[in-house]
Amino acid sequence: MTIREKKSSSRRVLLTAAACLIAASSLTFSPVRAAIQNVYDKIFSSEHIDDSGLKSALTNGMGQEINKTYYDKDHDITVHFNSILMDDKEAKLLVTYESKKTNLKNYYLDLFEGFTSMNLVVGNEEVKKLKNIGWGSRYYDKKANKVAEALSFESISTFQGDEVHLKLKDLTIHGKNGASRVETVWPLDFKLSKEAVGGRETFDVSKEFTFKNETYQVRRVEFSPLETRVVVTGTDIKPHIENGVAYDVFSKLQLQLLNARKTDKDKGYTVDYKKSGVFLNSAGKMADPIFSKAEADGPRDQYVLYFTPVKDRQNCVLQVGDLKINLR
């Protein structure tokens, strides 16, 4: 596990940047519909990944096989673009890369706070840098000198049926002396199929509750194959203004969610159900919080709680400490 320090004038938080997954000595590629049979999908859908939404989607056979290889000659890195899956708000690109000469232990495709960026190209022009969605997940196999990463960024579902051109720019090295940039470009061209895209069902909600003297209101609940989103506003969900500059701060609700987060040396972020937190109960079954998205950027007047996808969308109860809020 690699712990990186993130600082601002309003908070100092230690976060785990890499989720440890089970080791695999080799990677093979075959159709995503047989995902659980494939070595690379066993890595990304294993119990050691800390994104339970990704694990659920892969186990259910969601995704489009890409199976393209690119060789970065300057850095002796062989890149395998394995598969992609998404809903209308988020895309997951599964990538593995390895080298015979370059030690990849501290090499990251860090879209969250590193130098790495995912860029969309239309025609001959680079259109925009795609926003990250949370931390993503990473595993390094020391014996094979191989990295597996699940990158999370804003959806490109509007390009379904079209040729898509992406540029993954720059690697980030996280070392003892901070972060440094490795300049490179890994291009990816593929046709986006309907197999890659899942739908979303959204319900408007108006449920108010009070927690630790703050008033919150659930605005809507969103269901997709990758996640369950609970969108909340509140009296302390707003930026902190200091010397005319706005800083993001944790609300009491967000701190309550993170209270049940723990770091496992083998499994990354996991849930401690013995501790008080924020949980989602769907027809008597608990949906795990997706902690790798707990600090994803969003509008400053709202906070999104991310949970595992659920099957029963009619009987969902949000549990905040001892409070229970029926969402339907």
Side-chain angles (χ1 to χ4, degrees), residues 222-256:
E222 304 174 6
F223 301 96
S224 91
L226 287 173
E227 65 188 7
T228 304
R229 290 189 179 200
V230 180
V231 181
V232 182
T233 58
T235 50
D236 65 341
I237 299 178
K238 56 186 177 181
H240 170 71
I241 307 298
E242 186 175 319
N243 297 324
V245 179
Y247 297 93
D248 290 323
V249 295
F250 289 170
S251 68
K252 292 179 180 178
L253 181 66
Q254 187 175 5
L255 291 173
Q256 178 68 12

Side-chain angles (χ1 to χ4, degrees), residues 157-316:
S157 61
T158 55
F159 291 89
Q160 183 177 335
D162 298 333
E163 293 290 335
V164 175
H165 308 281
L166 298 176
K167 285 184 180 180
L168 191 51
K169 287 188 174 181
D170 298 344
L171 289 151
T172 303
I173 297 179
H174 287 291
K176 294 181 180 180
N177 298 321
S180 59
R181 183 196 302 266
V182 177
E183 293 187 359
T184 188
V185 176
W186 295 351
L188 172 61
D189 300 329
F190 67 100
K191 186 174 182 178
L192 183 61
S193 76
K194 63 180 181 180
E195 291 182 342
V197 184
R200 179 177 296 268
E201 189 176 12
T202 300
F203 297 94
D204 291 329
V205 179
S206 181
K207 297 281 185 175
E208 188 173 286
F209 63 95
T210 300
F211 177 72
K212 292 188 176 181
N213 297 320
E214 303 289 349
T215 301
Y216 300 96
Q217 188 170 48
V218 180
R219 294 293 187 180
R220 65 182 180 274
V221 184
E222 304 174 6
F223 301 96
S224 91
L226 287 173
E227 65 188 7
T228 304
R229 290 189 179 200
V230 180
V231 181
V232 182
T233 58
T235 50
D236 65 341
I237 299 178
K238 56 186 177 181
H240 170 71
I241 307 298
E242 186 175 319
N243 297 324
V245 179
Y247 297 93
D248 290 323
V249 295
F250 289 170
S251 68
K252 292 179 180 178
L253 181 66
Q254 187 175 5
L255 291 173
Q256 178 68 12
L257 176 81
L258 297 175
N259 186 60
R261 182 175 73 177
K262 65 178 180 180
T263 303
D264 185 283
K265 65 179 181 179
D266 296 319
K267 300 179 182 180
Y269 288 142
T270 59
V271 184
D272 187 350
Y273 281 109
K274 295 180 181 179
K275 298 181 69 175
S276 177
V278 179
F279 305 114
L280 183 67
N281 189 310
S282 172
K285 295 182 179 180
M286 300 300 289
D288 290 348
I290 304 177
F291 288 123
S292 60
K293 298 182 187 179
E295 295 166 69
D297 291 335
R300 284 177 163 171
D301 61 346
Q302 68 180 37
Y303 181 60
V304 180
L305 304 163
Y306 296 90
F307 300 94
T308 305
V310 299
K311 292 182 178 180
D312 191 330
R313 301 177 177 183
Q314 301 298 322
N315 300 295
C316 293

Side-chain angles (χ1 to χ4, degrees), residues 84-118:
I84 193 166
L85 57 164
M86 69 191 72
D87 55 25
D88 62 330
K89 292 190 176 180
E90 177 184 6
K92 299 277 191 184
L93 179 64
L94 308 188
V95 184
T96 57
Y97 51 101
E98 56 191 301
S99 178
K100 294 181 179 179
K101 298 178 181 178
T102 303
N103 186 341
L104 299 176
K105 179 181 178 180
N106 296 321
Y107 280 58
Y108 291 77
L109 293 172
D110 187 354
L111 302 177
F112 187 79
E113 61 178 5
F115 296 106
T116 312
S117 64
M118 180 66 75

Side-chain angles (χ1 to χ4, degrees), residues 62-100:
M62 181 185 176
Q64 174 189 348
E65 178 192 21
I66 295 178
N67 191 17
K68 292 205 172 182
T69 300
Y70 174 76
Y71 180 60
D72 184 341
K73 184 178 180 181
D74 291 340
H75 305 97
D76 185 49
I77 299 175
T78 300
V79 186
H80 302 284
F81 295 103
N82 302 329
S83 63
I84 193 166
L85 57 164
M86 69 191 72
D87 55 25
D88 62 330
K89 292 190 176 180
E90 177 184 6
K92 299 277 191 184
L93 179 64
L94 308 188
V95 184
T96 57
Y97 51 101
E98 56 191 301
S99 178
K100 294 181 179 179

Side-chain angles (χ1 to χ4, degrees), residues 106-173:
N106 296 321
Y107 280 58
Y108 291 77
L109 293 172
D110 187 354
L111 302 177
F112 187 79
E113 61 178 5
F115 296 106
T116 312
S117 64
M118 180 66 75
N119 303 272
L120 177 66
V121 180
V122 175
N124 296 321
E125 296 185 7
E126 192 168 302
V127 176
K128 68 172 181 177
K129 174 182 174 182
L130 299 173
K131 297 178 181 178
N132 73 81
I133 307 290
W135 290 95
S137 297
R138 178 186 185 272
Y139 164 71
Y140 174 63
D141 181 347
K142 180 179 179 180
K143 184 177 180 180
N145 192 33
K146 184 178 300 181
V147 179
E149 295 208 38
L151 305 178
S152 297
F153 49 92
E154 66 179 284
S155 178
I156 53 172
S157 61
T158 55
F159 291 89
Q160 183 177 335
D162 298 333
E163 293 290 335
V164 175
H165 308 281
L166 298 176
K167 285 184 180 180
L168 191 51
K169 287 188 174 181
D170 298 344
L171 289 151
T172 303
I173 297 179

